Amino acid sequence: MQFNINESSTLLRKGDGIQFNITENTAPNTFVTQVIASDPDSGEAGVITYQFLSGDTHPDHQYFRIGPTSGRIVTTDKVLDRETKEVYELIVIARDNGVPPQEAHRRLLVRLRDLDDNQPTFRDCRDLRDPVTVSVMENQPPETEVAIVEGCDADLSPNNVMAYRITCGDSEVFSLDPNSGRLATKRILDRELKASYELCIQVLDPSRDTPVATSGSAVIRYIINVLDEDDEPPRFDRGTGKIVTTTVLDTALYHSEVTKVYAHDPDLVGKDKILYSITDINYVRNKYPPNRDVRSAFIIDKNTGMIRTNFSQFTDFINGFFNISVQVRDAKNRRDTAQVLVYVIKDYEKLKFVFDEDPNKVKDKLDDFLKELVPIVGFEVKPDDISHHVDENGNINANKTDVCFHAVKGSEVKPKHQTRKELQNSQNYELQRLYALNGVSGVENCVNPTALAQTTNFGGYSWLWWLLVALAALLILLAIIGIILLCCCWNSYQKAAGAPYIPEATNPVLYSREMEWQEGTMSYTDPGPGGYGNYTYQVQF
Ligand SMILES: [Ca+2]
Ligand SMILES: [Ca+2]
Ligand SMILES: [Ca+2]
Ligand SMILES: [Ca+2]
């Protein structure tokens, strides 16, 4: 038996069967080819029937049908999708009616031609997750490449040509080559200005008129993070000006904390490596400047910016202020400077606001409250300490807050009595409204008289301690005087009672050595007045 194949539509491959090409997605009953087997037998024994070899090892036959007598192979109503399966293998069996029947096998391959039946997309692309995160270094010149955008189209070339466009986001900052998908910067980027950008990118078939979309499988989001370079100087947080005002107590001891200066380096790189230093210290007072070298009066922690005292007492410096020049620099030696004015005051010169809320709530709103206060009273209030409220008897109330402060006008500390008068002005309705809004219930002495009595220092001890010492000394002195007086009285009594008289000039110690006191009788004779008569005296021991 021999197979004859319709040669006009075949591609012969030696030893590998014959391959036919048909277009994918073709309609049912599309003609593929016709196989014809010839049998030299005549009659019934030469009648040939055709069928496909079936079974698990040859599943592709289900997509095709063969005419049992005609040998015509056509497609079925099953969809032939090239993107699902491109080549189908068919084994055709031709069998005659002889006894026993004769068989011949032939292997055929059916390959699908590609049609442009898939749209470009991002959804099914390998290793692509939405959003795509990429990065680019700041300060790079325009046209720096950020990424190559790549979609996917399941069709074969030329049916898989893709084009790209930006459909939403920061398109004024980035350009996208529609053909190559090259995403690049349009200008120099500054991370400190904007650290992250976002784009929607659509992939499309350039041969079709595709509407612009900002979502769907043909759109992907790109997040572009700008990487940091150490290109910014550190800057002091100065609040309202270049000057930081604070106070130090006249009794401050060596290494007491004065204030902390903060600087901020906008860079991420090296922001933790900024260093603080003091470049100069001056002391300013109108009269009688103290004769001390003040350049070492304060020191600063180079890492934290904490300024501490380097003297143990500041009593000589009351009514003046120190002007400390501080500097901060980063790893690239970019610098910023600020002045810290430190006024030397006594503890009881401070005032406090009493808030009807706990310290955590007050901390959150304190900055805003103090900012709003400035235009109302015309001076600045600088907080020194926030703590639970202590009443005038020294009792602590955790539901209230004390904010001790000093007031500053220009670069001078405002006197306490003036400050108190202006902050307690009940005619200032704007001020009273601000107090009511923020729960301020009073302006009081920061240190109350009781606490002041307990904490006022004299060389490190409270005055109560010194008072007790003085009383004790007085008692001892009185006791000594009393003893001396008693001794004097006793001597006088003895003398008056006829006790033996010891001359004043005689050293009692020497005298005691010369006398030999012994038990017995001592006697001497007195010639008597005018030598008339003898008197004998006896003293019994
Ligand atoms: Ca296709
Ligand atoms: Ca396509
Ligand atoms: Ca920096
Ligand atoms: Ca930077």
Side-chain angles (χ1 to χ4, degrees):
M1 195 186 290
Q2 274 192 335
F3 270 108
N4 291 318
I5 307 289
N6 182 350
E7 298 288 344
S8 64
S9 60
T10 60
L11 178 69
L12 294 170
R13 282 192 184 170
K14 256 188 182 173
D16 194 27
I18 303 170
Q19 180 174 293
F20 302 90
N21 292 329
I22 60 169
T23 305
E24 65 171 322
N25 303 332
T26 191
N29 290 320
T30 298
F31 177 75
V32 180
T33 189
Q34 183 174 22
V35 293
I36 298 169
S38 60
D39 191 321
D41 295 335
S42 57
E44 198 55 27
V47 177
I48 297 169
T49 55
Y50 305 94
Q51 65 183 103
F52 291 129
L53 181 63
S54 59
D56 291 345
T57 51
H58 296 87
D60 294 352
H61 70 89
Q62 58 187 301
Y63 294 92
F64 301 92
R65 205 168 46 234
I66 187 164
T69 54
S70 66
R72 275 173 60 87
I73 297 174
V74 295
T75 59
T76 65
D77 55 0
K78 287 193 169 159
V79 175
L80 291 166
D81 177 23
R82 190 205 66 80
E83 284 71 44
T84 310
K85 186 170 171 65
E86 188 171 2
V87 178
Y88 298 81
E89 185 190 56
L90 299 172
I91 308 291
V92 180
I93 303 171
R95 184 182 290 128
D96 68 11
N97 270 350
V99 181
Q102 299 283 312
E103 279 185 5
H105 293 195
R106 193 68 188 254
R107 180 170 174 261
L108 305 179
L109 295 179
V110 180
R111 181 178 292 274
L112 302 184
R113 278 193 296 264
D114 185 43
L115 270 183
D116 190 1
D117 59 342
N118 284 281
Q119 285 289 321
T121 178
F122 287 112
R123 180 172 293 164
D124 303 320
C125 304
R126 218 161 34 153
D127 302 330
L128 207 56
R129 294 276 176 279
D130 189 7
V132 179
T133 304
V134 292
S135 55
V136 62
M137 184 65 80
E138 67 173 324
N139 300 326
Q140 298 302 302
E143 283 301 310
T144 296
E145 183 175 303
V146 177
I148 299 290
V149 179
E150 206 169 2
C152 45
D153 184 323
D155 296 323
L156 293 177
S157 178
N159 297 325
N160 62 354
V161 175
M162 290 173 279
Y164 305 92
R165 64 186 170 205
I166 296 172
T167 57
C168 72
D170 301 299
S171 56
E172 73 283 0
V173 185
F174 298 96
S175 63
L176 181 62
D177 185 301
N179 300 315
S180 67
R182 183 177 183 269
L183 183 66
T185 55
K186 277 185 181 170
R187 54 176 165 83
I188 295 173
L189 301 182
D190 181 357
R191 192 204 68 85
E192 283 70 45
L193 220 57
K194 192 164 161 62
S196 185
Y197 296 87
E198 195 169 331
L199 295 172
C200 308
I201 294 176
Q202 185 183 20
V203 61
L204 52 127
D205 184 339
S207 65
R208 300 182 196 197
D209 190 12
T210 313
V212 172
T214 55
S215 63
S217 61
V219 177
I220 198 162
R221 280 184 309 141
Y222 264 71
I223 308 277
I224 301 125
N225 292 324
V226 184
L227 301 179
D228 185 42
E229 196 178 39
D230 189 355
D231 60 342
E232 297 284 336
R235 296 183 186 96
F236 275 112
D237 299 338
R238 298 187 185 95
T240 53
K242 202 177 166 67
I243 291 172
V244 180
T245 313
T246 187
T247 57
V248 64
L249 295 181
D250 59 327
T251 53
L253 300 177
Y254 174 70
H255 250 228
S256 300
E257 290 184 352
V258 177
T259 190
K260 199 171 186 178
V261 287
Y262 291 96
H264 171 67
D265 192 323
D267 296 314
L268 289 176
V269 179
K271 71 181 298 180
D272 300 328
K273 292 180 182 161
I274 57 174
L275 296 175
Y276 300 93
S277 57
I278 289 176
T279 54
D280 197 16
I281 301 178
N282 291 303
Y283 178 71
V284 181
R285 182 160 73 182
N286 290 338
K287 293 179 185 175
Y288 314 121
N291 189 22
R292 284 174 82 176
D293 184 0
V294 298
R295 282 173 297 181
S296 59
F298 298 92
I299 50 173
I300 192 167
D301 185 308
K302 66 179 179 182
N303 297 311
T304 65
M306 173 59 77
I307 296 176
R308 286 188 166 83
T309 57
N310 204 29
F311 288 169
S312 59
Q313 289 284 329
F314 286 83
T315 320
D316 294 348
F317 299 96
I318 288 177
N319 298 328
F321 65 89
F322 290 92
N323 185 351
I324 307 174
S325 303
V326 290
Q327 184 187 80
V328 62
R329 64 179 194 277
D330 69 4
K332 295 208 168 171
N333 223 14
R334 297 190 189 88
R335 296 152 193 246
D336 190 23
T337 56
Q339 305 301 120
V340 178
L341 302 189
V342 182
Y343 288 83
V344 182
I345 62 169
K346 291 181 179 294
D347 205 9
Y348 55 76
E349 287 173 354
K350 290 187 187 180
L351 291 167
K352 71 180 179 188
F353 286 119
V354 180
F355 288 82
D356 287 337
E357 283 177 319
D358 66 65
N360 286 330
K361 287 181 185 158
V362 173
K363 272 177 196 165
D364 288 344
K365 64 181 179 185
L366 186 62
D367 280 355
D368 289 339
F369 167 72
L370 295 178
K371 265 182 209 162
E372 286 180 52
L373 191 64
V374 176
I376 298 175
V377 293
F379 56 84
E380 280 185 86
V381 166
K382 304 278 187 181
D384 292 313
D385 183 40
I386 301 177
S387 60
H388 288 123
H389 174 60
V390 181
D391 68 18
E392 55 189 17
N393 298 318
N395 299 317
I396 295 173
N397 183 341
N399 297 320
K400 289 182 161 194
T401 303
D402 287 347
V403 176
C404 286
F405 62 85
H406 62 280
V408 171
K409 185 159 190 175
S411 59
E412 291 188 357
V413 171
K414 204 171 159 63
K416 178 181 171 183
H417 64 280
Q418 281 182 19
T419 309
R420 186 209 303 269
K421 192 174 163 190
E422 290 173 39
L423 290 179
Q424 288 180 334
N425 183 0
S426 59
Q427 302 302 310
N428 188 339
Y429 299 114
E430 217 178 336
L431 180 65
Q432 296 304 324
R433 187 192 57 84
L434 186 66
Y435 286 170
L437 274 175
N438 288 277
V440 175
S441 60
V443 178
E444 301 175 3
N445 287 324
C446 177
V447 180
N448 65 47
T450 313
L452 189 64
Q454 287 166 354
T455 57
T456 303
N457 286 333
F458 294 91
Y461 298 94
S462 76
W463 71 261
L464 199 62
W465 188 90
W466 283 110
L467 185 66
L468 288 173
V469 170
L471 277 173
L474 189 66
L475 284 173
I476 291 167
L477 190 67
L478 287 173
I480 290 169
I481 291 169
I483 289 166
I484 290 169
L485 283 173
L486 272 174
C487 286
C488 290
C489 290
W490 178 252
N491 278 341
S492 302
Y493 171 76
Q494 292 277 47
K495 202 172 169 183
Y501 174 68
I502 300 167
E504 276 183 17
T506 307
N507 185 327
V509 177
L510 291 173
Y511 188 77
S512 71
R513 280 183 183 172
E514 284 177 2
M515 293 267 297
E516 287 185 4
W517 296 91
Q518 55 187 23
E519 202 171 333
T521 308
M522 194 169 83
S523 66
Y524 71 99
T525 304
D526 190 342
Y532 304 99
N534 283 329
Y535 297 87
T536 299
Y537 294 83
Q538 286 190 342
V539 178
Q540 183 76 38
F541 292 91

